[in-house]
Structure formats: C-alpha cells, structure tokens
Amino acid sequence: MSTPFTPDVVEAIKRHMNDDHADDSLLICRALGGRPEATSAVTSGVDAEAIEFLATVEGREVTVRVPWSTTLTERAQVRTEVVRLYREACAALGVPARGEH
C-alpha cells in the first residue's frame, strides 16, 4: 500500500468515515466492492490507490478494497473520490443519493 498520507491523516479520514459515513461505506462495499451481502462496513485504510474497508459478510470480517479513479497525491482528493464512489454506489443500487455530501 503506497500512501502520500501521514498516519495522522489516515486516522482522521478513517474516524470521519466511521463516525459520519458508516452507511455510505456499506453502500460502497455492496455496490463497488463486490460484497452485496455485506451487513456492515468500517473504513480500515486509505492510500494513494484505494480505500479499504472491513465488511461483515455472513458473520465474518472481510477486507474490501475499492480503487480510486486516479492515484491520489493530496488529502483533498479523498473527499472528491469518496463522494464519487458513494454516488456510483447509490446509482448501482438504485438508492437515492443525498444532496450535498
């Protein structure tokens, strides 16, 4: 896993995702992570290439990596990419996306 992000930045992103966007993480895992049967998901990592989740599938935790559309080089890009993934997941699952994310 390559990353332009310091450990503190990764922890802040994980905390934000897990505290404020747990439902979004689950949608992303179901639609884009190949785990439609997932019942929960927490963000477990972020690097230049992907976001990583621990998803609960059939009672066990599995790692799910969902790639970004491009290699990230700065923190601000993470938000843009997560919003894109969320919107793509909503479209794929037929779930209405919230307005401003």
Side-chain angles (χ1 to χ4, degrees), residues 26-60:
L26 180 57
L27 290 174
I28 292 167
C29 285
R30 285 179 173 169
L32 307 176
R35 293 297 184 167
E37 70 281 15
T39 57
S40 67
V42 295
T43 303
S44 58
V46 176
D47 62 45
E49 305 299 326
I51 187 166
E52 192 167 280
F53 305 95
L54 283 178
T56 302
V57 178
E58 298 175 357
R60 62 185 180 86

PDB file of all heavy atoms in Angstrom, residues 26-60:
ATOM      1  N   LEU A  26     -20.959   1.126   3.736  1.00  0.00           N
ATOM      2  CA  LEU A  26     -21.661  -0.125   3.448  1.00  0.00           C
ATOM      3  C   LEU A  26     -22.183  -0.139   2.019  1.00  0.00           C
ATOM      4  O   LEU A  26     -22.035  -1.145   1.311  1.00  0.00           O
ATOM      5  CB  LEU A  26     -22.802  -0.331   4.442  1.00  0.00           C
ATOM      6  CG  LEU A  26     -23.633  -1.594   4.260  1.00  0.00           C
ATOM      7  CD1 LEU A  26     -22.768  -2.849   4.320  1.00  0.00           C
ATOM      8  CD2 LEU A  26     -24.735  -1.643   5.315  1.00  0.00           C
ATOM      9  N   LEU A  27     -22.758   0.961   1.558  1.00  0.00           N
ATOM     10  CA  LEU A  27     -23.240   1.032   0.174  1.00  0.00           C
ATOM     11  C   LEU A  27     -22.094   0.815  -0.812  1.00  0.00           C
ATOM     12  O   LEU A  27     -22.244   0.090  -1.803  1.00  0.00           O
ATOM     13  CB  LEU A  27     -23.893   2.392  -0.096  1.00  0.00           C
ATOM     14  CG  LEU A  27     -25.223   2.663   0.576  1.00  0.00           C
ATOM     15  CD1 LEU A  27     -25.652   4.118   0.330  1.00  0.00           C
ATOM     16  CD2 LEU A  27     -26.288   1.706   0.091  1.00  0.00           C
ATOM     17  N   ILE A  28     -20.950   1.444  -0.541  1.00  0.00           N
ATOM     18  CA  ILE A  28     -19.791   1.302  -1.430  1.00  0.00           C
ATOM     19  C   ILE A  28     -19.325  -0.148  -1.469  1.00  0.00           C
ATOM     20  O   ILE A  28     -19.040  -0.688  -2.544  1.00  0.00           O
ATOM     21  CB  ILE A  28     -18.659   2.265  -1.002  1.00  0.00           C
ATOM     22  CG1 ILE A  28     -19.086   3.724  -1.244  1.00  0.00           C
ATOM     23  CG2 ILE A  28     -17.357   1.949  -1.738  1.00  0.00           C
ATOM     24  CD1 ILE A  28     -18.192   4.755  -0.567  1.00  0.00           C
ATOM     25  N   CYS A  29     -19.255  -0.796  -0.322  1.00  0.00           N
ATOM     26  CA  CYS A  29     -18.838  -2.206  -0.283  1.00  0.00           C
ATOM     27  C   CYS A  29     -19.818  -3.098  -1.041  1.00  0.00           C
ATOM     28  O   CYS A  29     -19.403  -3.991  -1.779  1.00  0.00           O
ATOM     29  CB  CYS A  29     -18.713  -2.693   1.154  1.00  0.00           C
ATOM     30  SG  CYS A  29     -17.251  -2.074   1.992  1.00  0.00           S
ATOM     31  N   ARG A  30     -21.098  -2.854  -0.845  1.00  0.00           N
ATOM     32  CA  ARG A  30     -22.107  -3.670  -1.515  1.00  0.00           C
ATOM     33  C   ARG A  30     -22.066  -3.496  -3.035  1.00  0.00           C
ATOM     34  O   ARG A  30     -22.104  -4.479  -3.771  1.00  0.00           O
ATOM     35  CB  ARG A  30     -23.502  -3.316  -1.001  1.00  0.00           C
ATOM     36  CG  ARG A  30     -23.796  -3.844   0.375  1.00  0.00           C
ATOM     37  CD  ARG A  30     -25.172  -3.433   0.819  1.00  0.00           C
ATOM     38  NE  ARG A  30     -25.548  -4.072   2.074  1.00  0.00           N
ATOM     39  CZ  ARG A  30     -26.603  -3.716   2.783  1.00  0.00           C
ATOM     40  NH1 ARG A  30     -27.399  -2.740   2.377  1.00  0.00           N
ATOM     41  NH2 ARG A  30     -26.862  -4.346   3.914  1.00  0.00           N
ATOM     42  N   ALA A  31     -22.005  -2.255  -3.476  1.00  0.00           N
ATOM     43  CA  ALA A  31     -22.131  -1.987  -4.912  1.00  0.00           C
ATOM     44  C   ALA A  31     -20.818  -2.063  -5.679  1.00  0.00           C
ATOM     45  O   ALA A  31     -20.785  -2.558  -6.800  1.00  0.00           O
ATOM     46  CB  ALA A  31     -22.757  -0.615  -5.133  1.00  0.00           C
ATOM     47  N   LEU A  32     -19.745  -1.560  -5.095  1.00  0.00           N
ATOM     48  CA  LEU A  32     -18.484  -1.432  -5.828  1.00  0.00           C
ATOM     49  C   LEU A  32     -17.387  -2.354  -5.327  1.00  0.00           C
ATOM     50  O   LEU A  32     -16.374  -2.526  -5.997  1.00  0.00           O
ATOM     51  CB  LEU A  32     -17.998   0.019  -5.765  1.00  0.00           C
ATOM     52  CG  LEU A  32     -19.013   1.084  -6.206  1.00  0.00           C
ATOM     53  CD1 LEU A  32     -18.443   2.476  -6.009  1.00  0.00           C
ATOM     54  CD2 LEU A  32     -19.447   0.855  -7.635  1.00  0.00           C
ATOM     55  N   GLY A  33     -17.606  -2.929  -4.155  1.00  0.00           N
ATOM     56  CA  GLY A  33     -16.592  -3.794  -3.566  1.00  0.00           C
ATOM     57  C   GLY A  33     -16.868  -5.270  -3.753  1.00  0.00           C
ATOM     58  O   GLY A  33     -16.159  -6.120  -3.217  1.00  0.00           O
ATOM     59  N   GLY A  34     -17.929  -5.576  -4.506  1.00  0.00           N
ATOM     60  CA  GLY A  34     -18.228  -6.977  -4.788  1.00  0.00           C
ATOM     61  C   GLY A  34     -18.769  -7.744  -3.599  1.00  0.00           C
ATOM     62  O   GLY A  34     -18.680  -8.970  -3.556  1.00  0.00           O
ATOM     63  N   ARG A  35     -19.351  -7.039  -2.637  1.00  0.00           N
ATOM     64  CA  ARG A  35     -19.884  -7.692  -1.441  1.00  0.00           C
ATOM     65  C   ARG A  35     -21.342  -7.285  -1.198  1.00  0.00           C
ATOM     66  O   ARG A  35     -21.667  -6.649  -0.199  1.00  0.00           O
ATOM     67  CB  ARG A  35     -19.035  -7.341  -0.218  1.00  0.00           C
ATOM     68  CG  ARG A  35     -17.639  -7.905  -0.274  1.00  0.00           C
ATOM     69  CD  ARG A  35     -17.698  -9.412  -0.282  1.00  0.00           C
ATOM     70  NE  ARG A  35     -16.367  -9.985  -0.231  1.00  0.00           N
ATOM     71  CZ  ARG A  35     -16.152 -11.256   0.013  1.00  0.00           C
ATOM     72  NH1 ARG A  35     -17.157 -12.068   0.241  1.00  0.00           N
ATOM     73  NH2 ARG A  35     -14.925 -11.724   0.036  1.00  0.00           N
ATOM     74  N   PRO A  36     -22.248  -7.656  -2.119  1.00  0.00           N
ATOM     75  CA  PRO A  36     -23.653  -7.252  -1.975  1.00  0.00           C
ATOM     76  C   PRO A  36     -24.310  -7.789  -0.710  1.00  0.00           C
ATOM     77  O   PRO A  36     -25.303  -7.243  -0.249  1.00  0.00           O
ATOM     78  CB  PRO A  36     -24.321  -7.815  -3.232  1.00  0.00           C
ATOM     79  CG  PRO A  36     -23.424  -8.905  -3.693  1.00  0.00           C
ATOM     80  CD  PRO A  36     -22.023  -8.501  -3.289  1.00  0.00           C
ATOM     81  N   GLU A  37     -23.738  -8.832  -0.127  1.00  0.00           N
ATOM     82  CA  GLU A  37     -24.309  -9.439   1.067  1.00  0.00           C
ATOM     83  C   GLU A  37     -23.763  -8.843   2.366  1.00  0.00           C
ATOM     84  O   GLU A  37     -24.138  -9.276   3.462  1.00  0.00           O
ATOM     85  CB  GLU A  37     -24.065 -10.956   1.036  1.00  0.00           C
ATOM     86  CG  GLU A  37     -22.616 -11.367   1.221  1.00  0.00           C
ATOM     87  CD  GLU A  37     -21.701 -11.243  -0.003  1.00  0.00           C
ATOM     88  OE1 GLU A  37     -22.050 -10.577  -1.000  1.00  0.00           O
ATOM     89  OE2 GLU A  37     -20.596 -11.798   0.063  1.00  0.00           O
ATOM     90  N   ALA A  38     -22.915  -7.835   2.283  1.00  0.00           N
ATOM     91  CA  ALA A  38     -22.345  -7.208   3.480  1.00  0.00           C
ATOM     92  C   ALA A  38     -23.447  -6.594   4.332  1.00  0.00           C
ATOM     93  O   ALA A  38     -24.411  -6.024   3.816  1.00  0.00           O
ATOM     94  CB  ALA A  38     -21.329  -6.142   3.085  1.00  0.00           C
ATOM     95  N   THR A  39     -23.294  -6.719   5.649  1.00  0.00           N
ATOM     96  CA  THR A  39     -24.278  -6.163   6.581  1.00  0.00           C
ATOM     97  C   THR A  39     -23.740  -4.955   7.341  1.00  0.00           C
ATOM     98  O   THR A  39     -24.526  -4.211   7.927  1.00  0.00           O
ATOM     99  CB  THR A  39     -24.753  -7.232   7.579  1.00  0.00           C
ATOM    100  OG1 THR A  39     -23.613  -7.759   8.272  1.00  0.00           O
ATOM    101  CG2 THR A  39     -25.500  -8.351   6.865  1.00  0.00           C
ATOM    102  N   SER A  40     -22.434  -4.749   7.331  1.00  0.00           N
ATOM    103  CA  SER A  40     -21.832  -3.557   7.925  1.00  0.00           C
ATOM    104  C   SER A  40     -20.445  -3.381   7.330  1.00  0.00           C
ATOM    105  O   SER A  40     -19.884  -4.318   6.748  1.00  0.00           O
ATOM    106  CB  SER A  40     -21.748  -3.669   9.449  1.00  0.00           C
ATOM    107  OG  SER A  40     -20.835  -4.667   9.826  1.00  0.00           O
ATOM    108  N   ALA A  41     -19.920  -2.173   7.475  1.00  0.00           N
ATOM    109  CA  ALA A  41     -18.576  -1.894   6.959  1.00  0.00           C
ATOM    110  C   ALA A  41     -17.983  -0.723   7.718  1.00  0.00           C
ATOM    111  O   ALA A  41     -18.691   0.224   8.063  1.00  0.00           O
ATOM    112  CB  ALA A  41     -18.635  -1.579   5.467  1.00  0.00           C
ATOM    113  N   VAL A  42     -16.693  -0.817   7.989  1.00  0.00           N
ATOM    114  CA  VAL A  42     -15.947   0.293   8.578  1.00  0.00           C
ATOM    115  C   VAL A  42     -14.728   0.554   7.711  1.00  0.00           C
ATOM    116  O   VAL A  42     -14.144  -0.367   7.131  1.00  0.00           O
ATOM    117  CB  VAL A  42     -15.509   0.020  10.035  1.00  0.00           C
ATOM    118  CG1 VAL A  42     -16.708  -0.094  10.946  1.00  0.00           C
ATOM    119  CG2 VAL A  42     -14.636  -1.204  10.138  1.00  0.00           C
ATOM    120  N   THR A  43     -14.370   1.814   7.619  1.00  0.00           N
ATOM    121  CA  THR A  43     -13.177   2.178   6.869  1.00  0.00           C
ATOM    122  C   THR A  43     -11.960   1.766   7.680  1.00  0.00           C
ATOM    123  O   THR A  43     -11.827   2.116   8.850  1.00  0.00           O
ATOM    124  CB  THR A  43     -13.161   3.690   6.595  1.00  0.00           C
ATOM    125  OG1 THR A  43     -14.358   4.041   5.886  1.00  0.00           O
ATOM    126  CG2 THR A  43     -11.947   4.086   5.765  1.00  0.00           C
ATOM    127  N   SER A  44     -11.072   0.998   7.056  1.00  0.00           N
ATOM    128  CA  SER A  44      -9.896   0.492   7.755  1.00  0.00           C
ATOM    129  C   SER A  44      -8.584   1.024   7.203  1.00  0.00           C
ATOM    130  O   SER A  44      -7.536   0.854   7.819  1.00  0.00           O
ATOM    131  CB  SER A  44      -9.881  -1.040   7.716  1.00  0.00           C
ATOM    132  OG  SER A  44      -9.882  -1.499   6.380  1.00  0.00           O
ATOM    133  N   GLY A  45      -8.630   1.674   6.041  1.00  0.00           N
ATOM    134  CA  GLY A  45      -7.405   2.207   5.466  1.00  0.00           C
ATOM    135  C   GLY A  45      -7.669   3.088   4.267  1.00  0.00           C
ATOM    136  O   GLY A  45      -8.717   2.998   3.630  1.00  0.00           O
ATOM    137  N   VAL A  46      -6.694   3.928   3.985  1.00  0.00           N
ATOM    138  CA  VAL A  46      -6.743   4.822   2.837  1.00  0.00           C
ATOM    139  C   VAL A  46      -5.314   4.959   2.343  1.00  0.00           C
ATOM    140  O   VAL A  46      -4.398   5.185   3.133  1.00  0.00           O
ATOM    141  CB  VAL A  46      -7.278   6.220   3.226  1.00  0.00           C
ATOM    142  CG1 VAL A  46      -7.243   7.172   2.048  1.00  0.00           C
ATOM    143  CG2 VAL A  46      -8.676   6.136   3.801  1.00  0.00           C
ATOM    144  N   ASP A  47      -5.131   4.821   1.042  1.00  0.00           N
ATOM    145  CA  ASP A  47      -3.822   5.072   0.463  1.00  0.00           C
ATOM    146  C   ASP A  47      -3.999   5.741  -0.882  1.00  0.00           C
ATOM    147  O   ASP A  47      -5.112   6.120  -1.247  1.00  0.00           O
ATOM    148  CB  ASP A  47      -2.977   3.791   0.392  1.00  0.00           C
ATOM    149  CG  ASP A  47      -3.589   2.713  -0.486  1.00  0.00           C
ATOM    150  OD1 ASP A  47      -4.056   3.019  -1.601  1.00  0.00           O
ATOM    151  OD2 ASP A  47      -3.576   1.540  -0.061  1.00  0.00           O
ATOM    152  N   ALA A  48      -2.937   5.888  -1.624  1.00  0.00           N
ATOM    153  CA  ALA A  48      -2.990   6.602  -2.902  1.00  0.00           C
ATOM    154  C   ALA A  48      -3.833   5.885  -3.947  1.00  0.00           C
ATOM    155  O   ALA A  48      -4.362   6.514  -4.859  1.00  0.00           O
ATOM    156  CB  ALA A  48      -1.572   6.802  -3.439  1.00  0.00           C
ATOM    157  N   GLU A  49      -3.984   4.572  -3.795  1.00  0.00           N
ATOM    158  CA  GLU A  49      -4.654   3.770  -4.818  1.00  0.00           C
ATOM    159  C   GLU A  49      -6.098   3.409  -4.503  1.00  0.00           C
ATOM    160  O   GLU A  49      -6.880   3.134  -5.411  1.00  0.00           O
ATOM    161  CB  GLU A  49      -3.869   2.475  -5.041  1.00  0.00           C
ATOM    162  CG  GLU A  49      -2.411   2.670  -5.389  1.00  0.00           C
ATOM    163  CD  GLU A  49      -2.184   3.454  -6.670  1.00  0.00           C
ATOM    164  OE1 GLU A  49      -2.998   3.320  -7.597  1.00  0.00           O
ATOM    165  OE2 GLU A  49      -1.195   4.205  -6.735  1.00  0.00           O
ATOM    166  N   ALA A  50      -6.470   3.364  -3.213  1.00  0.00           N
ATOM    167  CA  ALA A  50      -7.790   2.836  -2.858  1.00  0.00           C
ATOM    168  C   ALA A  50      -8.183   3.205  -1.441  1.00  0.00           C
ATOM    169  O   ALA A  50      -7.366   3.648  -0.639  1.00  0.00           O
ATOM    170  CB  ALA A  50      -7.786   1.313  -2.999  1.00  0.00           C
ATOM    171  N   ILE A  51      -9.449   2.943  -1.163  1.00  0.00           N
ATOM    172  CA  ILE A  51      -9.959   2.991   0.201  1.00  0.00           C
ATOM    173  C   ILE A  51     -10.249   1.550   0.596  1.00  0.00           C
ATOM    174  O   ILE A  51     -10.642   0.734  -0.248  1.00  0.00           O
ATOM    175  CB  ILE A  51     -11.209   3.886   0.315  1.00  0.00           C
ATOM    176  CG1 ILE A  51     -11.627   4.072   1.781  1.00  0.00           C
ATOM    177  CG2 ILE A  51     -12.350   3.376  -0.552  1.00  0.00           C
ATOM    178  CD1 ILE A  51     -12.641   5.198   1.985  1.00  0.00           C
ATOM    179  N   GLU A  52     -10.015   1.241   1.851  1.00  0.00           N
ATOM    180  CA  GLU A  52     -10.159  -0.137   2.313  1.00  0.00           C
ATOM    181  C   GLU A  52     -11.155  -0.189   3.472  1.00  0.00           C
ATOM    182  O   GLU A  52     -11.179   0.697   4.321  1.00  0.00           O
ATOM    183  CB  GLU A  52      -8.800  -0.656   2.764  1.00  0.00           C
ATOM    184  CG  GLU A  52      -8.749  -2.138   2.989  1.00  0.00           C
ATOM    185  CD  GLU A  52      -7.323  -2.614   3.130  1.00  0.00           C
ATOM    186  OE1 GLU A  52      -6.652  -2.772   2.092  1.00  0.00           O
ATOM    187  OE2 GLU A  52      -6.880  -2.805   4.273  1.00  0.00           O
ATOM    188  N   PHE A  53     -11.960  -1.242   3.457  1.00  0.00           N
ATOM    189  CA  PHE A  53     -12.982  -1.435   4.472  1.00  0.00           C
ATOM    190  C   PHE A  53     -12.850  -2.817   5.086  1.00  0.00           C
ATOM    191  O   PHE A  53     -12.355  -3.746   4.442  1.00  0.00           O
ATOM    192  CB  PHE A  53     -14.386  -1.348   3.853  1.00  0.00           C
ATOM    193  CG  PHE A  53     -14.648  -0.078   3.104  1.00  0.00           C
ATOM    194  CD1 PHE A  53     -14.455  -0.004   1.732  1.00  0.00           C
ATOM    195  CD2 PHE A  53     -15.090   1.054   3.775  1.00  0.00           C
ATOM    196  CE1 PHE A  53     -14.692   1.167   1.037  1.00  0.00           C
ATOM    197  CE2 PHE A  53     -15.338   2.232   3.088  1.00  0.00           C
ATOM    198  CZ  PHE A  53     -15.143   2.293   1.717  1.00  0.00           C
ATOM    199  N   LEU A  54     -13.327  -2.958   6.311  1.00  0.00           N
ATOM    200  CA  LEU A  54     -13.586  -4.263   6.904  1.00  0.00           C
ATOM    201  C   LEU A  54     -15.103  -4.405   6.875  1.00  0.00           C
ATOM    202  O   LEU A  54     -15.812  -3.650   7.544  1.00  0.00           O
ATOM    203  CB  LEU A  54     -13.072  -4.349   8.336  1.00  0.00           C
ATOM    204  CG  LEU A  54     -11.584  -4.543   8.506  1.00  0.00           C
ATOM    205  CD1 LEU A  54     -11.223  -4.570   9.986  1.00  0.00           C
ATOM    206  CD2 LEU A  54     -11.115  -5.815   7.835  1.00  0.00           C
ATOM    207  N   ALA A  55     -15.576  -5.319   6.068  1.00  0.00           N
ATOM    208  CA  ALA A  55     -17.013  -5.535   5.919  1.00  0.00           C
ATOM    209  C   ALA A  55     -17.398  -6.833   6.613  1.00  0.00           C
ATOM    210  O   ALA A  55     -16.630  -7.800   6.606  1.00  0.00           O
ATOM    211  CB  ALA A  55     -17.389  -5.610   4.442  1.00  0.00           C
ATOM    212  N   THR A  56     -18.576  -6.840   7.189  1.00  0.00           N
ATOM    213  CA  THR A  56     -19.108  -8.058   7.789  1.00  0.00           C
ATOM    214  C   THR A  56     -19.939  -8.770   6.732  1.00  0.00           C
ATOM    215  O   THR A  56     -20.906  -8.208   6.202  1.00  0.00           O
ATOM    216  CB  THR A  56     -19.956  -7.750   9.029  1.00  0.00           C
ATOM    217  OG1 THR A  56     -19.140  -7.039   9.966  1.00  0.00           O
ATOM    218  CG2 THR A  56     -20.475  -9.033   9.672  1.00  0.00           C
ATOM    219  N   VAL A  57     -19.514  -9.982   6.409  1.00  0.00           N
ATOM    220  CA  VAL A  57     -20.169 -10.798   5.392  1.00  0.00           C
ATOM    221  C   VAL A  57     -20.392 -12.183   5.992  1.00  0.00           C
ATOM    222  O   VAL A  57     -19.440 -12.850   6.381  1.00  0.00           O
ATOM    223  CB  VAL A  57     -19.316 -10.901   4.111  1.00  0.00           C
ATOM    224  CG1 VAL A  57     -19.975 -11.792   3.085  1.00  0.00           C
ATOM    225  CG2 VAL A  57     -19.042  -9.515   3.536  1.00  0.00           C
ATOM    226  N   GLU A  58     -21.648 -12.572   6.073  1.00  0.00           N
ATOM    227  CA  GLU A  58     -22.008 -13.872   6.635  1.00  0.00           C
ATOM    228  C   GLU A  58     -21.351 -14.096   7.999  1.00  0.00           C
ATOM    229  O   GLU A  58     -20.811 -15.166   8.295  1.00  0.00           O
ATOM    230  CB  GLU A  58     -21.667 -14.986   5.653  1.00  0.00           C
ATOM    231  CG  GLU A  58     -22.439 -14.861   4.341  1.00  0.00           C
ATOM    232  CD  GLU A  58     -22.041 -15.882   3.294  1.00  0.00           C
ATOM    233  OE1 GLU A  58     -21.113 -16.693   3.527  1.00  0.00           O
ATOM    234  OE2 GLU A  58     -22.671 -15.858   2.229  1.00  0.00           O
ATOM    235  N   GLY A  59     -21.372 -13.040   8.818  1.00  0.00           N
ATOM    236  CA  GLY A  59     -20.874 -13.146  10.178  1.00  0.00           C
ATOM    237  C   GLY A  59     -19.373 -13.056  10.359  1.00  0.00           C
ATOM    238  O   GLY A  59     -18.875 -13.188  11.464  1.00  0.00           O
ATOM    239  N   ARG A  60     -18.624 -12.828   9.280  1.00  0.00           N
ATOM    240  CA  ARG A  60     -17.176 -12.704   9.431  1.00  0.00           C
ATOM    241  C   ARG A  60     -16.683 -11.435   8.750  1.00  0.00           C
ATOM    242  O   ARG A  60     -17.317 -10.932   7.828  1.00  0.00           O
ATOM    243  CB  ARG A  60     -16.443 -13.927   8.890  1.00  0.00           C
ATOM    244  CG  ARG A  60     -16.634 -14.172   7.426  1.00  0.00           C
ATOM    245  CD  ARG A  60     -15.974 -15.492   6.981  1.00  0.00           C
ATOM    246  NE  ARG A  60     -16.184 -15.699   5.568  1.00  0.00           N
ATOM    247  CZ  ARG A  60     -15.425 -15.210   4.602  1.00  0.00           C
ATOM    248  NH1 ARG A  60     -14.362 -14.489   4.897  1.00  0.00           N
ATOM    249  NH2 ARG A  60     -15.696 -15.448   3.334  1.00  0.00           N
TER     250      ARG A  60
END
